[in-house]
Amino acid sequence: GRELTRLELVRDRAPEGASAGGESGATGPAVFRTVWQPAELGRLRVTVDDPTLADLGVEASLEVIDPNDEMRQPLPDHERLEDLAKQTGGQLVNLDELDQLLNQVPNRARRIDDDISERLWDSPMSLVIVLMLLTVEWVGRKWMRLM
């Protein structure tokens, strides 16, 4: 019941039989157009509040939905799923054939003998880190004249 926004309509084309200048006396409906970006979701009612058109009662209802709303169509689109499966080299499996899915998926598991482990004290990186820390401390003490 409240007003969200006011839109200004722009004449798109003149009525049939009229010149581009918009001469009077032409017959046919005039076409008006506007661009509107809704700021709110939900059911809306569009009305014309021009006093010259008030007696026509021009209004329309519309529903604004979020385009990313995945629940607006909860049923699967089987045709689109088939096209996607064909394009990607996959296969469409119906719900009653899910037991066959394990046989269709290739086993790409790899066995590794052992995890690669390295003791901390035997790694060269730990020696480099310790030497870097000692060097930073020594340089810092020399810089602040603490020695």
Side-chain angles (χ1 to χ4, degrees):
R2 63 185 172 91
E3 181 178 295
L4 295 178
T5 186
R6 292 177 97 61
L7 300 172
E8 193 71 31
L9 297 176
V10 178
R11 184 178 213 128
D12 189 33
R13 67 169 198 240
E16 295 175 16
S19 66
E23 296 174 1
S24 61
T27 60
V31 176
F32 293 87
R33 187 174 300 227
T34 190
V35 176
W36 171 60
Q37 185 73 30
E40 295 186 23
L41 303 175
R43 290 195 173 276
L44 302 177
R45 188 179 59 170
V46 179
T47 59
V48 178
D49 65 349
D50 188 82
T52 58
L53 302 173
D55 58 338
L56 296 176
V58 177
E59 75 176 37
S61 295
L62 59 102
E63 184 175 3
V64 179
I65 58 173
D66 186 6
N68 296 325
D69 185 12
E70 64 184 35
M71 291 306 294
R72 72 174 177 219
Q73 292 181 356
L75 298 175
D77 185 358
H78 292 285
E79 292 176 8
R80 188 168 182 193
L81 289 173
E82 280 185 53
D83 290 342
L84 182 62
K86 288 177 185 174
Q87 291 173 3
T88 58
Q91 185 177 358
L92 190 65
V93 178
N94 293 324
L95 287 176
D96 57 346
E97 300 171 349
L98 285 180
D99 56 339
Q100 300 172 8
L101 188 60
L102 286 176
N103 299 333
Q104 295 175 0
V105 177
N107 185 5
R108 294 194 174 134
R110 292 187 310 164
R111 284 198 164 269
I112 299 175
D113 293 338
D114 265 335
D115 290 336
I116 300 171
S117 62
E118 190 173 335
R119 292 183 43 179
L120 182 63
W121 298 112
D122 293 341
S123 77
M125 186 57 127
S126 62
L127 177 63
V128 169
I129 290 173
V130 169
L131 287 177
M132 283 180 57
L133 288 173
L134 288 173
T135 304
V136 167
E137 181 189 9
W138 182 77
V139 169
R141 285 179 175 265
K142 286 290 187 181
W143 183 60
M144 293 190 289
R145 296 188 180 112
L146 292 177
M147 286 189 135

